[in-house]
Amino acid sequence: MTRVQSTNAAAHGQGVRLSLIVGFLLLVCAAVAAIVVAVTSADAERWATHSLEVRRLQAVTFSALQDAETAQRGYLLTGDHAYLEPYEQANARLPGLKRQMHALVADNSAQRQRLVDLEQAIDIKMAELDRTVAQARAGQADAAIARLKTNAGKAMMDRVRVLSQRFEDAEANLLIQRQAAVASQRSLLIGVIVLALAAAALLAFAVARETRDHAHVLTGHNRALENEIAQRERAEAQLRQAQKMEALGQLTGGVAHDFNNMLAIIVGNLDMLIRRLSGQEKLLSLAENALSGANRAAALTKGLLAFSRQQPLDPKPTDVNKCVSDMSELLRRSLGEHIAVETVLAGGLWRAFVDSPQLESAILNLAVNARDAMAEARPGGAKNGGRLTIETSNAFLDRAYADTHAEVEPGQFVLVAITDTGGGMPPEVMERAFDPFFTTKRLGEGTGLGLSQVHGFLKQSRGHIKLYSELGVGTTVKLYLPRDTLGVTVEEPAAPRQIVASGDAFTVLIAEDDPGVRGFAVSAARELGYKVIEADGATVALERLGQHPEIDLLLTDVVMPGSNGRQLVDAALTLRPDLKVIYMTGYTRNAIVHNGTLDAGTRLLTKPFTLEQLDRELRDALAGQ
């Protein structure tokens, strides 16, 4: 028996030693492989950086040429030599930039040929600029300007722009390939590191079996691993939820864009029709019913955009206490006398940086939901009482809280807590509370977009929303609004004006690719008394702008095939810096909205819109308000 035990012990010892040797060899192999992969990854990253530098130099070169052209035009038009400074700088910089570009693309024959073509076009353009500047300096400004008006220079610049874009596209493709190589190398490096960790774990396990005294350490490691797995499962669940919401957001955003274009035609034309049906009560009633349905569809589309975080927000420093106070009376009337509305407003409350109308809409949405929940909690839905409490306070979300809640950044917030005395929500309902079109109400009593719309607004505003609910007690919804740190004073909005024909003093250029929307916008603007010139895209709009110097204002769609509204405006303002601009859109796609916020100084008319809204925007833009 002793001999058998000895033999088993010896075999066990040999097995442990063999495990140690194998584990050590694996660790050495993994370390060598990691070094090789790290070197390869560094080389791939160097090539990716090389492509980025090529693209940067190409952009600088094109920008220098544009500056030279702008300087030439300014000098020819004014005769002021101060305008020639960018032109002279471009003349000085371009040779060096060309040399650098040649050095960078020396390894790529296709890019070298594209660069040669581009440089030839740039040289031709610069020669044209030199010729006209020389003529102006020699006192032949009229001849130079006449040459400028032939549009030969524009054709040369267009040629440069095409070749530059071709060069840029090729380098962008190279960058994508090189970045993919970097990602592949990094993935391989991670795999090697994982292998190294596995080898190290094998060594640790063998040592642990060899030394029984370390058993309690292994137990602690196992517990830590279990905790990590649990945390990872929670993180993966949050990631899956975020991916689901993102996918739904992209879908609803695309649908909202097309739907808003159709609604713009329906709502706009119904609005104009109603104005012409005075005294025809039967027809007027039919048109008003149709407009009411279209407006409900527009509200639904607005809810979809809010959920998908693609509504254009205009955040400003907001006194939340004043906002809640102003809404309290509206809520009392809207919710009914059987609901007691109480407000608990904190002293010294910070100002929030949010879109105030959207915040009011969110509070109203939550209040209506609370009213319905309190009615459902009563037998048969009887309206026999309930309490809605709205509280405000300053709040701070720390790093520990942010680590356990996706998309939450730690920091200071203004808290609005809305509490009802309804029946509360079970866990399975709370899990789906923010899903679009999910509702526990009966058919026809709600769209299921209320909470998802509030959720989208808070996330787009870089805030946070948290639900607390207990069955039989009630529900609290906490809105964490980002604190305003700018301290800018916001002026009160002006009172709305009545529609009055503007006469023919102003000319409006309307750029819209959708024929139906364009037809309505043109008809509406003409009814308001404006002279109207229309264009079905950016290219035609720029042509019209050049042909009609009397144009005072550009009304353009944001999303158009080819050049979008932002690109059209940039080009138009280059020709006419004094031009007034209004965008119209049903979905922005980040052309004029970044990080969920309208670009500074941007005027936006959201589709669908009425004659009154168009009139207000046109007047305000022309008045410079």
Side-chain angles (χ1 to χ4, degrees):
M1 186 68 177
T2 303
R3 182 176 298 176
V4 172
Q5 290 177 343
S6 177
T7 302
N8 289 339
H12 175 72
Q14 290 176 355
V16 170
R17 284 191 294 274
L18 181 60
S19 297
L20 287 171
I21 293 171
V22 171
F24 180 75
L25 290 175
L26 283 174
L27 188 59
V28 170
C29 291
V32 173
I35 293 172
V36 173
V37 173
V39 172
T40 308
S41 178
D43 186 63
E45 289 183 355
R46 182 176 64 80
W47 279 110
T49 304
H50 174 273
S51 285
L52 289 172
E53 178 63 15
V54 171
R55 295 179 70 187
R56 185 190 71 80
L57 283 176
Q58 182 269 337
V60 170
T61 302
F62 185 73
S63 177
L65 183 62
Q66 283 185 314
D67 291 343
E69 183 184 46
T70 302
Q72 173 235 22
R73 292 174 181 272
Y75 174 65
L76 294 182
L77 293 174
T78 65
D80 188 348
H81 286 80
Y83 279 94
L84 288 179
E85 182 177 351
Y87 162 81
E88 293 168 350
Q89 289 176 351
N91 262 327
R93 292 182 65 192
L94 283 173
L97 291 171
K98 293 176 184 176
R99 287 194 297 272
Q100 293 181 57
M101 292 279 283
H102 272 292
L104 287 174
V105 301
D107 62 299
N108 189 321
S109 59
Q111 281 294 74
R112 284 202 310 271
Q113 184 56 51
R114 294 187 187 97
L115 181 58
V116 169
D117 296 341
L118 176 59
E119 287 182 345
Q120 289 176 352
I122 290 174
D123 291 342
I124 293 172
K125 177 61 181 177
M126 286 303 299
E128 187 264 343
L129 296 180
D130 293 342
R131 188 178 303 111
T132 55
V133 170
Q135 283 181 320
R137 282 175 168 169
Q140 302 174 11
D142 291 342
I145 291 174
R147 180 175 182 80
L148 182 65
K149 290 181 177 179
T150 63
N151 279 335
K154 179 180 181 303
M156 296 175 190
M157 196 63 188
D158 289 342
R159 172 66 176 166
V160 172
R161 184 174 287 105
V162 169
L163 293 174
S164 180
Q165 187 62 49
R166 189 177 300 164
F167 182 86
E168 159 73 11
D169 291 344
E171 197 62 40
N173 289 333
L174 280 176
L175 177 60
I176 291 172
Q177 297 170 8
R178 290 167 176 173
Q179 287 176 334
V182 171
S184 176
Q185 291 295 327
R186 285 178 178 170
S187 298
L188 183 57
L189 181 59
I190 291 172
V192 172
I193 291 173
V194 170
L195 179 61
L197 291 175
L202 178 61
L203 283 172
F205 181 71
V207 170
R209 291 182 60 188
E210 184 79 9
T211 311
R212 294 181 179 276
D213 293 340
H214 293 170
H216 65 282
V217 176
L218 285 177
T219 302
H221 287 172
N222 289 336
R223 290 174 181 169
L225 184 58
E226 289 172 358
N227 291 334
E228 183 179 347
I229 291 173
Q231 291 177 357
R232 183 173 298 174
E233 288 176 348
R234 288 194 295 269
E236 288 176 352
Q238 291 178 346
L239 177 60
R240 286 193 296 271
Q241 177 67 10
Q243 289 173 337
K244 180 183 74 172
M245 299 293 276
E246 181 67 22
L248 286 171
Q250 292 177 356
L251 173 64
T252 55
V255 171
H257 168 245
D258 295 335
F259 201 43
N260 272 334
N261 266 349
M262 292 183 283
L263 284 173
I265 301 170
I266 296 169
V267 171
N269 284 286
L270 282 173
D271 181 54
M272 294 180 66
L273 177 63
I274 287 172
R275 297 175 185 278
R276 289 169 168 78
L277 291 178
S278 177
Q280 303 181 53
E281 298 304 325
K282 291 185 178 179
L283 293 178
L284 183 61
S285 176
L286 293 174
E288 287 176 342
N289 286 338
L291 181 60
S292 176
N295 284 331
R296 288 197 298 273
L300 179 63
T301 308
K302 183 178 179 182
L304 290 173
L305 285 175
F307 152 70
S308 58
R309 309 180 201 179
Q310 292 162 351
Q311 60 179 337
L313 297 181
D314 189 14
K316 292 182 176 63
T318 301
D319 184 345
V320 176
N321 275 349
K322 184 176 184 301
C323 177
V324 172
S325 296
D326 291 346
M327 290 196 67
S328 60
E329 186 58 35
L330 170 64
L331 292 177
R332 290 186 178 93
R333 292 197 304 268
S334 301
L335 304 183
E337 296 179 354
H338 60 289
I339 301 293
V341 179
E342 298 180 359
T343 57
V344 182
L345 307 180
L349 189 68
W350 299 324
R351 294 167 72 88
F353 190 70
V354 293
D355 188 314
S356 182
Q358 292 298 330
L359 173 59
E360 292 175 355
S361 176
I363 293 174
L364 182 59
N365 255 325
L366 295 174
V368 171
N369 279 352
R371 177 200 63 190
D372 296 342
M374 287 185 281
E376 290 175 3
R378 308 294 182 261
K383 299 180 179 181
N384 58 352
R387 178 181 294 104
L388 178 73
T389 304
I390 305 177
E391 300 179 69
T392 63
S393 64
N394 297 326
F396 178 78
L397 298 181
D398 58 18
R399 172 58 63 182
Y401 184 89
D403 288 342
T404 57
H405 293 78
E407 302 182 18
V408 174
E409 290 291 333
Q412 295 176 328
F413 295 85
V414 179
L415 172 62
V416 180
I418 302 172
T419 303
D420 65 61
T421 57
M425 291 184 285
E428 61 272 15
V429 172
M430 285 190 63
E431 288 180 2
R432 300 188 59 193
F434 296 130
D435 288 0
F437 302 111
F438 173 74
T439 179
T440 58
K441 299 176 182 178
R442 291 186 293 272
L443 184 64
E445 293 184 355
T447 62
L449 276 177
L451 271 178
S452 62
Q453 182 175 346
V454 176
H455 177 271
F457 160 63
L458 263 295
K459 292 300 182 184
Q460 189 176 348
S461 300
R462 297 185 178 181
H464 176 52
I465 182 170
K466 185 68 175 178
L467 278 178
Y468 299 90
S469 190
E470 184 176 348
L471 286 175
V473 177
T475 300
T476 296
V477 184
K478 291 188 174 182
L479 310 180
Y480 292 89
L481 312 171
R483 179 186 178 182
D484 169 50
T485 57
L486 301 177
V488 178
T489 302
V490 181
E491 297 180 358
E492 290 294 328
R497 293 183 293 264
Q498 295 294 323
I499 298 181
V500 180
S502 303
D504 57 359
F506 297 103
T507 302
V508 178
L509 171 61
I510 298 178
E512 166 62 64
D513 61 297
D514 188 295
V517 178
R518 186 173 68 251
F520 158 65
V522 168
S523 298
R526 284 174 176 161
E527 180 157 325
L528 292 170
Y530 295 94
K531 293 180 179 178
V532 180
I533 298 172
E534 58 182 294
D536 61 2
T539 303
V540 176
L542 287 175
E543 292 177 358
R544 298 286 189 271
L545 193 64
Q547 297 166 355
H548 298 275
E550 73 273 15
I551 293 174
D552 302 289
L553 184 145
L554 169 63
L555 175 62
T556 177
D557 188 21
V558 175
V559 181
M560 294 188 293
S563 297
N564 62 34
R566 166 62 78 182
Q567 294 166 334
L568 167 59
V569 169
D570 290 342
L573 290 179
T574 300
L575 298 174
R576 292 275 307 279
D578 60 334
L579 186 69
K580 306 295 184 181
V581 175
I582 300 175
Y583 293 97
M584 56 178 171
T585 186
Y587 172 44
T588 58
R589 293 187 184 173
N590 289 336
I592 59 172
V593 174
H594 295 86
N595 296 322
T597 304
L598 275 174
D599 293 347
T602 300
R603 294 186 177 277
L604 179 63
L605 185 61
T606 304
K607 299 176 185 175
F609 54 85
T610 63
L611 192 68
E612 181 179 359
Q613 291 167 333
L614 177 63
D615 176 66
R616 181 172 60 250
E617 288 296 332
L618 291 174
R619 287 174 177 272
D620 288 348
L622 291 169
Q625 296 181 1

